[in-house]
Amino acid sequence: MVVDSTYYDLLGISATATELEIKKAYRKKAIQHHPDKNKDDPTAADRFKEIAEAYQVLSDKELRGRYDKYGKEQAIPKEGFEDPSEFFGMIFGGSAFADYIGELTLLKDLSKTYEMQADDEETAPESAKAGESSNPGNSTEGAKTSNFSEESHETTHVEQTASTFTTSRPGLTIAAGDGTECGPQMTEEDRKKAIDLERKKKKEEEIAQYEEECRIKKEEMVAELSQKLISRISLWTETDKANDVTKSFTEKLRYEAEVLKMESFGLEILHTIGSIYRSKAKTFLNKQKFLGISGFFSSIKEKGGVVMDTFRTISTALDAQSTMNELSKMQERKETAAKLELEREEKERIKAEKIARGEPVEEEEPVEDAVKEEPKKEEEPIPTDEDIAEMEKRLLGKVLAAAWKGSQFEISGTVRGACDSVLYDKSVSLEKRIERARALIMIGDIFLGTERSSGEQEEARIFEELVAEASEKRARK
């Protein structure tokens, strides 16, 4: 018996609801009353907030216990309630898969590398301009040597770099800062090339160092995920594997899969993990058969799958880019048409004012017959607001698909690495590794067998859009 059932009523569940029932009810109600889906309803935001508060309390065992005994006032989180929109994005942001796939960093790492390369491209022209402004064409040789001395702090090894030029250009001397000659002299062009070459080398070293750090972090994460996977399957591998133990193990996995499929792209992630677990385990088991021939062909098939995953990832991204360009052109056509319409209306207004004042009106010159006879190019129709809205909806779907493909590519690599560590650790007996493979097949079959009903599928489509919008809003802050 609970003293207050308000929160349960808001989610439409009983006071005895399980963790899974609470989460499912919250997602359904949050989608139903999300402000972005109810823009004409001024009460939607308040209901959405109440639903979020109800879930924040009921999903926390300690807070739920206090709420059941003492009511709302004794069940307020220490840090206060989260912003409902941010909370919605956070709890369905895929973090529940962290023990399976770790942190997804591919896009972040690529963006960081791109930024480092872009910074180098931006600073190089500025350095060249700075050199030109301080060394005009009619400057004396002393001015050139002085400027070289001032810029020497930008590169500590420019003299070594410059040697690549002096070797092939004998007879030139480098002038020191005091005007004395200390070897073959560099021309202004060679000096700039030396500085740019040194800067490029330094930037390449920085990028290589960053990529090496990323590689080490990835290896550490795969090692951690491997240990978590070993711990998870030990619930079966470290037992007598009796029927009741196996049943308990599989039921636990099915329940977990039902929870995980509710996450952002949850079903897709489950199927990706399940497919890799089963493929890796079967390849390993086939290698233990006579001569390991079937295992060899399984490995070839697996590598072919990696290539196809790469191709699909790139194709999906290009498709999203194409739709983005198409939307941009539609918006440009609409803006151009609106501008021309304003210009026409302005001309009509001026003409009307002149007529009202009795002033002569200049008639537009007639178009020549030759021009009239020229075949007109078929003009593309001016897109309406509805056309653009529909294209934006299509673009969102393709952007989500591209984001998923990129994430799936990274997830696949991480999960494959964890499976290899679990199955090919020679410090573990072959018998134990065979048991691990059998456990992975069980998990793979359950994850691949997890599905959504037609109602859940439509709910998931709306849900993915809302999560994407919530994530975008967080990124803008």
Side-chain angles (χ1 to χ4, degrees):
M1 186 72 180
V2 297
V3 299
D4 186 354
S5 65
T6 304
Y7 285 157
Y8 292 104
D9 296 339
L10 278 169
L11 298 182
I13 54 178
S14 70
T16 58
T18 64
E19 177 187 350
L20 179 58
E21 289 170 337
I22 292 170
K23 191 164 190 174
K24 282 185 174 180
Y26 168 66
R27 191 170 90 157
K28 186 179 289 293
K29 290 289 184 180
I31 291 173
Q32 182 181 349
H33 297 288
H34 198 288
D36 289 347
K37 309 302 292 184
N38 299 274
K39 294 180 180 178
D40 297 329
D41 184 355
T43 65
D46 289 336
R47 286 204 304 275
F48 184 68
K49 181 180 178 182
E50 290 172 353
I51 290 166
E53 288 183 2
Y55 180 74
Q56 287 181 63
V57 170
L58 299 183
S59 62
D60 184 300
K61 289 184 179 180
E62 183 182 345
L63 290 178
R64 183 181 181 184
R66 293 212 304 263
Y67 171 73
D68 289 347
K69 286 184 179 180
Y70 310 111
K72 283 185 181 182
E73 297 303 319
Q74 299 299 318
I76 299 174
K78 290 180 180 179
E79 300 79 12
F81 289 104
E82 297 279 356
D83 176 90
S85 295
E86 291 193 3
F87 181 71
F88 178 79
M90 284 189 299
I91 67 162
F92 292 115
S95 59
F97 281 97
D99 287 347
Y100 284 94
I101 64 176
E103 181 186 3
L104 300 182
T105 62
L106 178 62
L107 292 178
K108 182 179 71 176
D109 294 342
L110 288 175
S111 297
K112 176 67 175 177
T113 302
Y114 174 78
E115 286 174 9
M116 293 171 75
Q117 291 172 336
D119 288 344
D120 185 46
E121 290 172 1
E122 289 174 3
T123 55
E126 291 175 4
S127 173
K129 289 178 183 177
E132 290 170 6
S133 63
S134 59
N135 288 278
N138 60 354
S139 63
T140 64
E141 190 66 31
K144 288 184 179 180
T145 57
S146 176
N147 183 68
F148 181 69
S149 179
E150 289 171 4
E151 286 197 342
S152 62
H153 70 278
E154 293 184 10
T155 167
T156 57
H157 305 293
V158 71
E159 290 82 0
Q160 292 98 321
T161 309
S163 65
T164 60
F165 296 97
T166 59
T167 302
S168 59
R169 299 179 69 125
L172 299 179
T173 56
I174 300 175
D178 58 2
T180 60
E181 293 182 351
C182 55
Q185 183 177 356
M186 297 175 68
T187 64
E188 181 65 19
E189 181 183 356
D190 288 340
R191 186 188 65 79
K192 288 178 183 176
K193 285 182 179 180
I195 292 175
D196 287 342
L197 186 62
E198 178 67 15
R199 182 183 291 106
K200 183 179 180 181
K201 180 182 177 183
K202 184 178 179 182
K203 183 59 64 176
E204 288 175 349
E205 289 174 352
E206 289 176 358
I207 293 173
Q209 181 180 353
Y210 178 74
E211 290 176 346
E212 177 64 12
E213 289 172 358
C214 291
R215 185 189 65 78
I216 293 172
K217 286 181 181 178
K218 189 74 173 179
E219 287 183 354
E220 291 173 348
M221 183 177 72
V222 169
E224 183 181 349
L225 292 175
S226 302
Q227 291 305 311
K228 289 180 177 179
L229 180 55
I230 291 170
S231 177
R232 185 177 296 111
I233 62 179
S234 68
L235 296 176
W236 185 79
T237 60
E238 302 303 319
T239 66
D240 59 5
K241 304 167 197 63
N243 289 338
D244 58 333
V245 174
T246 302
K247 182 180 178 181
S248 175
F249 179 66
T250 55
E251 284 180 352
K252 182 178 183 299
L253 289 170
R254 286 193 181 91
Y255 180 84
E256 186 176 8
E258 284 297 310
V259 174
L260 290 173
K261 80 175 185 181
M262 298 174 62
E263 296 294 316
S264 181
F265 287 100
L267 190 64
E268 291 81 358
I269 297 175
L270 278 173
H271 287 177
T272 298
I273 295 172
S275 176
I276 293 170
Y277 278 7
R278 192 162 68 176
S279 173
K280 280 287 186 181
K282 286 188 174 182
T283 298
F284 174 79
L285 292 175
N286 286 336
K287 286 181 178 179
Q288 313 314 315
K289 296 178 180 178
F290 180 69
L291 297 178
I293 294 175
S294 57
F296 170 77
F297 287 113
S298 296
S299 296
I300 296 296
K301 183 179 178 182
E302 182 185 319
K303 289 175 182 176
V306 174
V307 173
M308 288 305 299
D309 284 347
T310 305
F311 176 76
R312 282 190 287 264
T313 300
I314 296 171
S315 298
T316 308
L318 291 175
D319 187 31
Q321 180 66 46
S322 175
T323 304
M324 194 179 298
N325 292 338
E326 189 177 346
L327 174 61
S328 178
K329 289 177 181 177
M330 287 178 66
Q331 290 171 331
E332 285 176 7
R333 289 204 306 274
K334 183 173 175 59
E335 290 170 3
T336 300
K339 184 179 179 181
L340 291 173
E341 180 63 20
L342 285 174
E343 290 175 354
R344 187 191 64 78
E345 291 176 356
E346 181 64 13
K347 287 179 180 178
E348 290 293 331
R349 184 186 65 78
I350 294 172
K351 182 178 178 181
E353 288 178 354
K354 285 184 177 181
I355 292 173
R357 294 194 297 267
E359 297 177 4
V361 178
E362 294 180 4
E363 295 294 335
E364 293 185 6
E365 294 183 8
V367 181
E368 296 293 334
D369 292 340
V371 177
K372 286 183 178 179
E373 290 175 4
E374 286 183 8
K376 287 186 177 181
K377 290 177 69 176
E378 188 175 342
E379 295 183 0
E380 294 183 89
I382 299 170
T384 63
D385 290 338
E386 289 75 17
D387 293 333
I388 290 177
E390 181 63 27
M391 182 59 73
E392 287 175 341
K393 188 175 180 180
R394 280 178 56 196
L395 177 60
L396 177 59
K398 291 187 177 184
V399 168
L400 284 172
W404 158 241
K405 281 297 179 184
S407 299
Q408 184 188 39
F409 183 78
E410 182 178 6
I411 289 169
S412 298
T414 301
V415 175
R416 285 189 182 102
C419 286
D420 286 341
S421 296
V422 169
L423 296 174
Y424 295 95
D425 181 0
K426 295 296 179 67
S427 66
V428 178
S429 68
L430 178 59
E431 181 183 2
K432 180 60 65 179
R433 285 184 282 143
I434 289 174
E435 289 176 358
R436 289 178 176 181
R438 290 169 59 195
L440 288 178
I441 289 175
M442 279 191 276
I443 300 176
D445 288 341
I446 289 171
F447 281 9
L448 283 169
T450 305
E451 296 294 344
R452 294 189 183 116
S453 65
S454 57
E456 288 175 332
Q457 195 64 33
E458 175 60 18
E459 183 182 282
R461 183 189 65 78
I462 300 171
F463 167 67
E464 299 299 350
E465 293 178 3
L466 293 173
V467 170
E469 290 168 6
S471 299
E472 186 179 345
K473 288 176 182 176
R474 287 204 310 275
R476 286 199 298 262
K477 290 186 177 181

